[in-house]
């Protein structure tokens, strides 16, 4: 359980569904292509991106896909995953 003191008490519009809020969060936490090199090894940024994507998928009733992203997030946090090679450079 998350301590209530750690939660942001900002209220959202009643028109925003949990899915819409998760999508907005995922959009903010997604690593943009032009930031990929700078953040490719940033464990916190990578975990946040995968966790938010997993939440969106879970709220879209796609638990298997959500689980893959959640496992990726855990891998970044527990250091069992390392940065992949640059997609623009290929595997030379």
């Amino acid at each position: 359980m998350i301590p209530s003191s750690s939660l942001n008490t900002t209220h959202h519009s009643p028109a925003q569904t949990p899915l819409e809020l998760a999508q907005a969060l995922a959009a903010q936490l997604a690593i943009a292509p032009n930031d990929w090199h700078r953040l490719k090894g940033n464990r916190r940024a990578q975990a946040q991106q995968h966790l938010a994507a997993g939440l969106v998928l879970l709220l879209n009733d796609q638990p298997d896909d959500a689980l893959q992203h959640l496992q990726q997030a855990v891998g970044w946090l527990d250091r069992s995953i390392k940065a992949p090679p640059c997609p623009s450079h290929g595997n030379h």
Side-chain angles (χ1 to χ4, degrees):
M1 178 122 220
I2 300 172
S4 61
S5 62
S6 297
L7 296 174
N8 185 343
T9 57
T10 303
H11 297 283
H12 62 86
S13 165
Q16 289 180 297
T17 66
L19 177 58
E20 291 169 332
L21 291 169
Q23 288 170 329
L25 179 63
Q28 285 186 341
L29 295 176
I31 297 173
N34 59 338
D35 289 331
W36 191 87
H37 280 99
R38 184 173 59 85
L39 296 174
K40 72 177 184 176
N42 183 317
R43 294 189 174 283
R44 182 173 178 248
Q46 292 284 353
Q48 288 174 347
Q49 173 178 251
H50 283 287
L51 186 60
L55 179 58
V56 169
L57 290 164
L58 185 59
L59 291 171
N60 270 318
D61 198 26
Q62 298 176 38
D64 293 335
D65 294 331
L67 183 57
Q68 289 178 358
H69 280 280
L70 298 175
Q71 289 170 335
Q72 288 283 313
V74 169
W76 280 104
L77 294 172
D78 71 9
R79 299 183 178 277
S80 64
I81 293 177
K82 64 179 183 175
C86 177
S88 65
H89 297 169
N91 293 325
H92 298 312

